[in-house]
Amino acid sequence: MTSLLSLDRVSKRFRGLVAVDAVSFAVPEGGIFAVIGPNGAGKTTLFNMIAGAMAPDAGSIAFAGAPIAGLMPDAVCRRGVARTFQLVRPFPALSVEDNVIVGALLRRRDVDAARERAHALLRRFDLFDRCRQPASSLTLPDRKRLEVVRALATEPKLLLLDEMLAGLRPTEIDRMVAILRELNSESGLTILLIEHVMRAVMALASRVLVLDHGTVIAEGAPEAVVRDPAVVRSYLGAETL
Amino acid sequence: MTAVAIGRAADGVRRRNAVLLVVLLAALLAAPWLVNDYLLTVMIVILYSAFTGQAWNIMMGFAGQLSLGHALYAGLGAYVSAVLFTKFGIDPWLGFLVSVPVAALSGAIIGFLAFRFGVSGVYFAILTIAFAEFARIGFDHLSLVNAAAGLFLPVAQYGHNDLLRLRGDPTMFYYVILAATVVAFALCRFLIGSRIGYYWLAIREDEQAARSAGIDTFRCKMYAVTISAAITSFAGVFYAFFYNNLFPEQVFGIGRSIEMILGPVIGGVGTLFGPILGSFLLTGLAETLDSALAAAGLDVPGAKEVFYGVCLLIVIVALPDGVWPPLARRLGLDKDKR
């Protein structure tokens, strides 16, 4: 399998603190890749560098064969990388429909065509009933789903999900996991996710990377990684086994 | 709700909106036959305020960029067209074609400086005030426009209305500003339903999220400030030929900029009807107050400003979204585009 996204010794420093320290990994095309690790391990910083929200201090990031490190977020999105935020950020005063239309307009100039596309996506994610409601009136699970829909509307090749499942109930998690799996298997969408919910990581990911204090402490298949003593010590704790 | 039901509800709203528009337009078209000269002048002031409010609303209401220096663009429009007319004999409509790029360019320069270097929020607002003040002080010393002594347009008694030179009676000016307001309204309606309109709203709501959705926010904000400045410049052309005198102190003063934002703030920022409704309420009531005071033989300097302040207070406390959104809900018009 070729890699869609590859990072080569990417580092980020905040004054004295090294948030991400020479991290390298490759996300295979069509795969679901999970990044796990304790709070403050540098996961979101890593995400922000991939999505263009901040530029790495050192190292390179390549997407579909071209370097993207240091590009602005909108340029990264136009190349086919869509993201969600850890704390959801739908456009609050806009209707659910309009939120998705904004995303869909990236690949089509015509508003009616974008609306059609938005409706198709909203139906698929069971949000069509709430089309006309302002996004601010949705419940947290719905807002999270809306953010995924908005990201998908930009027709990405790679979807970055930042703790999409945190704060959801188990049934909602299962539903989201099923949706993401379907997207991955049907359209071949590559997914890179940061996640704390190990149940979902085990169910979804084909490959897992473990970060701790900004460095990679393990990488591999999920079953192997959770048995890694270093991972158990720093992150999972003995009781998860 | 099914798709059909949603579609039907939207159709109903659209029909009610169309009816409201037609009734409003018919009333405004008939106004010169229904009101006396004094009231017609008040109507001109109201429509002028609705027009500038509509233009300002593109920046603040749509794209979320607070400008407190819109007097700059109107002032440039006024001075450019007036100088071309008085010194070179160029007709105001041609002058307007010159003032549009001048105002748009100055808007683009301010926008470029601010958006390129990440000046936003109140700091952006302060920057817009600063540029309007530069213009005020600069024009105060510019001999081409007679500096602080003021620029006067020849007022001749015309037997007939000369629309080409914008010389004529209040009825002609009334129809000119009415047409301009209709055009501005239609333009805003078109813009907000188009791709750039959606992008502006996204930027207003959350700029970072907008960028992550692939929106080139710098370019979109530049469009907003340039279009808004270009539209506002027409108000200046109208102002110059309606009042026939221009003083930098008056034209570029911060009071002018504040007056422009009062209509949309009272009526509802970001709505299409808000600037119009707000202008009618505010200017209408202020003029009523003025004439009531005059009739009572009272001379109260600053009464209008105090009245504006009270109106603002009431709206901020009781109707923070402006008067139009709750009124639209009451009339069953709220399901239309924002």
Side-chain angles (χ1 to χ4, degrees):
Chain A
M1 244 191 295
T2 54
S3 57
L4 182 63
L5 177 78
S6 59
L7 279 74
D8 186 25
R9 280 163 290 143
V10 169
S11 299
K12 182 75 189 176
R13 236 168 254 103
F14 295 112
R15 305 216 180 155
L17 178 80
V18 183
V20 174
D21 189 9
V23 169
S24 302
F25 65 90
V27 179
E29 187 149 16
I32 299 184
F33 195 101
V35 177
I36 62 172
N39 287 326
K43 303 184 298 292
T44 297
T45 305
L46 193 65
F47 244 48
N48 282 336
M49 287 190 286
I50 298 168
M54 49 179 72
D57 295 325
S60 61
I61 304 172
F63 176 73
I68 58 163
L71 286 184
M72 287 299 163
D74 49 306
V76 174
C77 181
R78 278 195 292 275
R79 288 182 180 223
V81 181
R83 74 169 297 178
T84 64
F85 291 91
Q86 189 174 351
L87 301 165
V88 282
R89 309 176 78 149
F91 306 122
L94 301 195
S95 68
V96 168
E97 178 187 33
D98 288 349
N99 262 274
V100 185
I101 290 176
V102 167
L105 280 167
L106 182 66
R107 307 287 178 204
R108 29 182 90 61
R109 305 194 75 82
D110 181 51
V111 173
D112 288 330
R115 185 177 292 113
E116 243 168 67
R117 166 86 181 145
H119 284 179
L121 281 167
L122 287 167
R123 272 201 197 90
R124 169 142 193 209
F125 284 81
D126 296 330
L127 280 169
F128 188 71
D129 289 351
R130 296 178 177 75
C131 239
R132 297 267 166 169
Q133 283 182 23
S136 56
S137 72
L138 296 182
T139 58
L140 181 67
D142 281 350
R143 264 181 287 158
K144 291 202 159 195
R145 237 173 330 139
L146 175 59
E147 199 157 275
V148 175
V149 178
R150 186 178 69 196
L152 286 174
T154 65
E155 294 176 22
K157 294 194 207 89
L158 173 68
L159 181 63
L160 306 175
L161 300 174
D162 194 352
E163 292 196 32
M164 181 45 53
L165 304 172
L168 298 190
R169 287 194 302 267
T171 49
E172 292 158 355
I173 290 176
D174 291 344
R175 188 159 162 223
M176 198 59 141
V177 165
I179 290 172
L180 294 175
R181 257 198 163 144
E182 215 178 284
L183 277 170
N184 175 254
S185 61
E186 271 176 27
S187 52
L189 177 72
T190 309
I191 299 173
L192 173 60
L193 51 98
I194 291 177
E195 202 47 72
H196 279 304
V197 181
M198 282 311 289
R199 198 157 70 99
V201 171
M202 298 303 286
L204 273 174
S206 46
R207 212 167 167 76
V208 176
L209 179 95
V210 189
L211 274 187
D212 190 23
H213 296 297
T215 53
V216 178
I217 59 168
E219 190 194 339
E223 300 76 23
V225 164
V226 290
R227 274 192 296 270
D228 189 310
V231 177
V232 174
R233 203 176 327 114
S234 75
Y235 178 49
L236 295 175
E239 73 273 22
T240 354
L241 294 171
Chain B
M1 232 188 325
T2 64
V4 178
I6 289 173
R8 209 178 294 140
D11 279 348
V13 170
R14 219 165 287 148
R15 200 166 41 242
R16 282 193 291 274
N17 259 308
V19 168
L20 175 70
L21 267 179
V22 168
V23 169
L24 186 65
L25 190 58
L28 287 172
L29 280 172
W33 285 283
L34 303 175
V35 302
N36 59 28
D37 267 4
Y38 165 70
L39 272 181
L40 194 65
T41 316
V42 173
M43 292 285 283
I44 291 174
V45 177
I46 289 173
L47 287 177
Y48 178 87
S49 151
F51 177 85
T52 52
Q54 203 77 258
W56 176 82
N57 201 31
I58 293 177
M59 267 191 84
M60 180 60 193
F62 296 171
Q65 308 300 311
L66 176 58
S67 166
L68 292 178
H70 255 51
L72 172 65
Y73 312 127
L76 287 175
Y79 268 107
V80 167
S81 59
V83 165
L84 288 177
F85 185 70
T86 54
K87 314 259 169 178
F88 305 101
I90 294 171
D91 289 344
W93 295 103
L94 285 175
F96 170 53
L97 292 183
V98 180
S99 60
V100 163
V102 170
L105 183 69
S106 61
I109 290 169
I110 297 171
F112 182 87
L113 288 173
F115 306 145
R116 186 51 90 205
F117 299 106
V119 179
S120 61
V122 286
Y123 300 101
F124 176 71
I126 290 168
L127 189 74
T128 60
I129 296 175
F131 272 90
E133 287 293 287
F134 288 156
R136 181 178 64 80
I137 295 162
F139 275 70
D140 247 344
H141 297 89
L142 193 65
S143 55
L144 177 71
V145 299
N146 294 352
L151 186 64
F152 294 87
L153 279 74
V155 186
Q157 287 305 319
Y158 287 88
H160 64 288
N161 289 324
D162 187 349
L163 188 59
L164 220 56
R165 295 201 169 71
L166 278 184
R167 313 274 75 192
D169 59 18
T171 308
M172 186 197 76
F173 280 103
Y174 173 77
Y175 280 118
V176 168
I177 194 68
L178 176 59
T181 308
V182 169
V183 169
F185 181 89
L187 186 64
C188 285
R189 202 184 162 97
F190 166 76
L191 285 171
I192 202 58
S194 68
R195 191 178 192 231
I196 187 75
Y198 277 90
Y199 280 6
W200 283 336
L201 294 176
I203 292 168
R204 180 191 76 189
E205 291 297 305
D206 188 331
E207 188 161 346
Q208 207 187 328
R211 296 202 81 166
S212 296
I215 299 173
D216 185 344
T217 54
F218 173 76
R219 184 191 293 196
C220 291
K221 289 194 286 185
M222 287 298 284
Y223 284 146
V225 64
T226 314
I227 294 171
S228 180
I231 297 174
T232 308
S233 74
F234 178 75
V237 177
F238 182 88
Y239 182 97
F241 286 80
F242 182 63
Y243 289 108
N244 296 313
N245 58 72
L246 296 173
F247 298 93
E249 203 65 43
Q250 257 180 24
V251 173
F252 292 109
I254 183 146
R256 287 270 159 237
S257 297
I258 300 294
E259 273 171 26
M260 283 189 208
I261 81 170
L262 287 175
V265 168
I266 301 281
V269 175
T271 64
L272 288 171
F273 283 103
I276 300 171
L277 179 68
S279 302
F280 267 91
L281 285 175
L282 207 61
T283 312
L285 290 174
E287 290 297 330
T288 313
L289 177 77
D290 234 23
S291 48
L293 286 175
L298 292 169
D299 180 28
V300 191
K304 206 185 272 185
E305 282 70 21
V306 171
F307 173 74
Y308 286 160
V310 171
C311 283
L312 265 181
L313 270 179
I314 292 171
V315 165
I316 288 166
V317 172
L319 304 161
D321 294 332
V323 178
W324 174 248
L327 186 66
R329 268 195 292 281
R330 193 65 61 81
L331 296 170
L333 296 168
D334 67 316
K335 282 286 187 278
D336 187 45
K337 286 230 144 305
R338 317 152 249 273

